[in-house]
Amino acid sequence: MKRLDAYIARNVMGGTLLAMLVLGGLDTLFAFIAELDEIGRNDYGLIQAVVYTALTVPRRVYELFPTSVLLGSLLSLGALAANSELTAMRAAGVPIAGIVRSVLRAGLMMLVVVVLLGEAVAPMSEQRAQTIKSQASGEEMYRGSAGLWAKDGQRFIQVGVVMPDLRLLDLSIYELDAERRLSSMLRAGSASYQNGAWILRDIERSHLGEAGVTGEHVDEERWPRLLAPELFSVLAVEPRQMAATTLAQYVTYLRENDLDSASFELAFWMRFTTPLSSLVMLLAVPFVFGSLRTGGAGQRLFIGLLIGVGFHLLNRTLNHMGLVYGLPPMLSATLPTLIFFAVAMLALRRVR
């Protein structure tokens, strides 16, 4: 049985890799074409566009993983069915459940790799891509391991996280005097842009003078001038690009400040349901073998696309309906996968 598991896993992984290369290649190509419109903006040239697009590949692989698993499995296992290999397996006493277990084991091994890619590699790669684009586009900012740094006259501003709704987390402002010596330092838990000004909250300020250092705490301050909000447009981190740990921290911050966190909670739960949906899709593969023995690769590809597009549309529809109608984000994220799982299990029980 171990040899059979390895044989099925090799076929499933090979088909998934092929599907990923095709889908990922097309997606990356279209993304690069879209970047051509940005070429010529200050120092943003062809090389920067190529590097930027290449750095977004890990995120694209993560997002395309469920569809790639489905298409790759249909193509590879469908080929086994067309060659009567699956019939031979069943004739040798291997049940459908055994084939399903072998397929799921292969999917689980790929899942572990993709989760590591999505949680460890993709966020850093995406951050680096945004930094390259912002610097080449002429923004006076630098993003490194210590966060985002910007200069405004005699001020040096450091930001831990830039959120897509113009919220800044872990903000520090260092001010120099005329002799370029540090005169004051400010730390704020967060800052948001509202009605033409920056609102800083949970402020700790320190003044450095000849008499020593004096400090004060302020709950909230309004700053008409800090940084132009347009500078953050290219650096904002979209929820789907963030790691689960970062999303969890930001959701906690929003809840503690009585702010709407539904969209970020949805993105947090989707970090788990997106890779898991690939395993659910694998359950749908065995019950189409019978009809695929007489069909070619084109038919298998067509069926895979139908299932993949159907799941994608169902997923997006229920996600957005959940946000509109106030459903719990966890339910909105898991409901499409649960529905697909129930349908797959019902169909699987009918296989003989």
Side-chain angles (χ1 to χ4, degrees):
M1 191 65 184
K2 290 184 178 179
R3 184 174 297 179
L4 180 62
D5 289 340
Y7 181 70
I8 293 177
R10 187 165 59 249
N11 279 273
V12 170
M13 291 180 179
T16 300
L17 180 59
L18 178 61
M20 179 63 72
L21 289 174
V22 174
L23 294 178
L26 289 174
D27 189 39
T28 303
L29 176 62
F30 292 147
F32 175 71
I33 292 174
E35 286 300 311
L36 294 179
D37 293 335
E38 300 290 330
I39 292 178
R41 181 182 175 188
N42 293 311
D43 295 329
Y44 192 71
L46 180 62
I47 295 178
Q48 286 77 12
V50 171
V51 174
Y52 171 81
T53 306
L55 287 171
T56 63
V57 169
R59 171 180 58 84
R60 301 180 192 280
V61 169
Y62 178 81
E63 294 176 347
L64 290 170
F65 177 65
T67 304
S68 299
V69 168
L70 175 64
L71 294 178
S73 300
L74 283 171
L75 289 174
S76 58
L77 296 179
L80 295 180
N83 294 329
S84 299
E85 293 181 72
L86 291 178
T87 303
M89 292 177 192
R90 297 191 63 185
V94 180
I96 284 291
I99 297 175
V100 172
R101 283 194 298 269
S102 299
V103 173
L104 288 178
R105 285 171 184 167
L108 187 59
M109 288 186 287
M110 293 186 291
L111 176 64
V112 172
V113 176
V114 169
V115 168
L116 291 176
L117 179 70
E119 289 298 314
V121 179
M124 293 188 297
S125 177
E126 198 75 24
Q127 185 182 78
R128 180 57 182 164
Q130 299 297 340
T131 300
I132 290 175
K133 187 171 184 179
S134 65
Q135 291 176 343
S137 298
E139 311 293 357
E140 296 182 2
M141 293 186 176
Y142 168 75
R143 172 176 273 169
S145 59
L148 174 70
W149 285 87
K151 182 178 181 296
D152 178 33
Q154 295 293 93
R155 288 181 188 160
F156 290 87
I157 303 167
Q158 187 263 333
V159 181
V161 180
V162 182
M163 304 309 298
D165 50 358
L166 283 182
R167 284 195 182 98
L168 313 179
L169 304 183
D170 299 328
L171 178 71
S172 298
I173 302 175
Y174 305 90
E175 294 197 29
L176 307 182
D177 58 20
E179 298 179 358
R180 301 187 66 81
R181 294 179 301 184
L182 183 64
S183 61
S184 68
M185 181 177 67
L186 178 149
R187 296 186 183 276
S190 65
S192 59
Y193 192 75
Q194 302 174 12
N195 301 321
W198 289 95
I199 308 300
L200 277 63
R201 298 181 178 86
D202 191 19
I203 300 170
E204 296 288 344
R205 180 184 282 110
S206 300
H207 296 279
L208 285 73
E210 296 180 357
V213 180
T214 58
E216 62 175 330
H217 176 82
V218 181
D219 292 332
E220 184 176 294
E221 278 188 1
R222 185 176 186 273
W223 287 48
R225 174 183 171 83
L226 182 62
L227 282 174
E230 293 80 8
L231 296 178
F232 296 98
S233 59
V234 74
L235 293 171
V237 180
E238 297 293 335
R240 65 189 180 93
Q241 300 172 357
M242 298 165 61
T245 52
T246 306
L247 281 168
Q249 293 173 357
Y250 190 55
V251 167
T252 301
Y253 159 76
L254 292 175
R255 286 179 173 177
E256 290 176 348
N257 291 273
D258 297 323
L259 299 172
D260 183 23
S261 63
S263 60
F264 292 93
E265 288 185 62
L266 177 62
F268 172 77
W269 288 111
M270 288 186 67
R271 299 296 294 183
F272 301 96
T273 59
T274 295
L276 286 177
S277 64
S278 61
L279 296 183
V280 175
M281 284 184 175
L282 287 175
L283 293 175
V285 174
F287 68 80
V288 297
F289 288 164
S291 62
L292 289 181
R293 278 199 302 268
T294 58
Q299 181 181 346
R300 292 191 288 274
L301 182 61
F302 178 71
I303 292 177
L305 287 174
L306 285 181
I307 297 175
V309 171
F311 179 80
H312 178 76
L313 293 177
L314 177 66
N315 195 30
R316 288 296 181 90
T317 300
L318 293 180
N319 290 164
H320 287 88
M321 286 179 62
L323 291 176
V324 172
Y325 293 104
L327 296 178
M330 181 179 179
L331 179 62
S332 299
T334 57
L335 190 57
T337 302
L338 292 176
I339 292 175
F340 201 90
F341 177 78
V343 173
M345 292 303 295
L346 287 174
L348 191 61
R349 291 181 62 183
R350 301 177 61 182
V351 177
R352 296 292 184 268

